[in-house]
Amino acid sequence: MDFYPWMKTLHVLLAILAMGSNATYGIWQARAARNPEHMGWTLRTVKFIDDRVANPSYIGLAIFGVLMVLTGPWEFEMFWIAVAIGLYLLLMVLGLAVYTPLLSRQIRVFETDGPHSPEFAQLTRRSRMLGGLLGLIVIAIVVLMVVKPGA
């Protein structure tokens, strides 16, 4: 039995789950900003989704991506795969080393200083900028996966 189509299906489903989750974070936070008393709950929910849904999905993406290269017609040296892996590694470093701690700090500052503190506003701006950058990296990876330049 050929497992490649099943791996590809799981790879795509995990991509939808990971990126779909990430895409909602800004929406959640923008809506909560209208009612700041809900911001703490919203930030904790975003963190829960990030820790329990998005990040595990990105790990699954890597696993199935590697398995697809090992068992399919692709090579790690192909331009689009090599660049996508590099961007993925950058995404993981920024996500785990910068975004996750930033989100945790944003939650702590909200809980201690409230939604109107200057530090909370600064952290929120950083979070939005970083979220935008991470979104652009994800879009670039998707374009590489779909277009496969040089394949």
Side-chain angles (χ1 to χ4, degrees):
M1 179 174 187
D2 184 12
F3 289 106
Y4 186 85
W6 293 104
M7 287 188 287
K8 185 175 182 180
T9 301
L10 286 172
H11 187 74
V12 170
L13 290 173
L14 287 167
I16 292 168
L17 193 56
M19 294 181 301
S21 296
N22 290 159
T24 67
Y25 298 171
I27 297 166
W28 284 81
Q29 292 178 50
R31 291 197 41 93
R34 294 180 189 167
N35 299 296
E37 68 273 11
H38 300 297
M39 185 60 80
W41 181 88
T42 299
L43 291 172
R44 286 188 301 277
T45 301
V46 165
K47 179 134 177 53
F48 177 85
I49 293 169
D50 203 53
D51 291 347
R52 306 285 168 87
V53 178
N55 290 342
S57 295
Y58 280 113
I59 292 167
L61 272 171
I63 292 167
F64 284 105
V66 167
L67 289 173
M68 287 169 43
V69 172
L70 293 174
T71 62
W74 315 111
E75 300 292 331
F76 289 110
E77 296 80 17
M78 297 177 97
F79 171 80
W80 63 276
I81 292 177
V83 173
I85 289 171
L87 289 172
Y88 175 87
L89 293 172
L90 176 62
L91 182 73
M92 289 298 97
V93 167
L94 289 174
L96 297 174
V98 182
Y99 182 77
T100 296
L102 176 61
L103 182 57
S104 295
R105 185 168 170 211
Q106 196 177 9
I107 292 167
R108 279 194 308 278
V109 170
F110 176 85
E111 290 173 348
T112 58
D113 300 342
H116 303 294
S117 77
E119 185 179 7
F120 183 75
Q122 180 186 28
L123 293 170
T124 299
R125 280 191 299 277
R126 277 191 210 155
S127 178
R128 285 183 186 148
M129 287 190 310
L130 182 58
L133 174 62
L134 294 173
L136 289 173
I137 294 170
V138 168
I139 289 168
I141 294 169
V142 170
V143 169
L144 288 167
M145 294 289 110
V146 173
V147 176
K148 297 174 179 47

